Amino acid sequence: MKNTKVCPKCGSHEVVIVSTGVSGPFRDDIAIGILHFAIPVTRRLCCGCGFMELWVDDPENLDKIKNKYDRGQSE
Ligand SMILES: [Zn+2]
């Protein structure tokens, strides 16, 4: 959905990026261990069927997550 702009569930092209409308730490962000430090995620929602995806858009952040979670640490 991020790359194709098409919903994989219903085929709609009405894919939008949505926000929680909350400032500060977001509910869906990924914790990487340091107090209050989290990786932001982007939510893409299909307006055709309601399907939503979460994406970590920054490749640097993917490396940070991999470094943390590959070691089997959960916190
Ligand atoms: Zn859809």
Side-chain angles (χ1 to χ4, degrees):
M1 208 148 78
K2 173 187 176 189
N3 300 318
T4 63
K5 309 289 192 277
V6 177
C7 175
K9 303 297 183 187
C10 73
S12 171
H13 291 258
E14 294 185 278
V15 175
V16 298
I17 292 176
V18 295
S19 160
T20 59
V22 179
S23 62
F26 299 112
R27 189 180 55 197
D28 295 321
D29 287 359
I30 299 168
I32 60 169
I34 302 167
L35 190 63
H36 298 313
F37 187 75
I39 302 296
V41 298
T42 301
R43 299 156 190 80
R44 287 174 174 80
L45 171 72
C46 171
C47 292
C49 70
F51 177 69
M52 186 165 69
E53 286 181 341
L54 299 180
W55 283 81
V56 174
D57 284 329
D58 187 340
E60 281 189 24
N61 284 335
L62 292 177
D63 282 342
K64 291 177 189 170
I65 293 167
K66 184 176 147 194
N67 287 340
K68 171 170 175 54
Y69 286 94
D70 262 5
R71 293 195 301 254
Q73 298 175 356
S74 60
E75 186 52 39

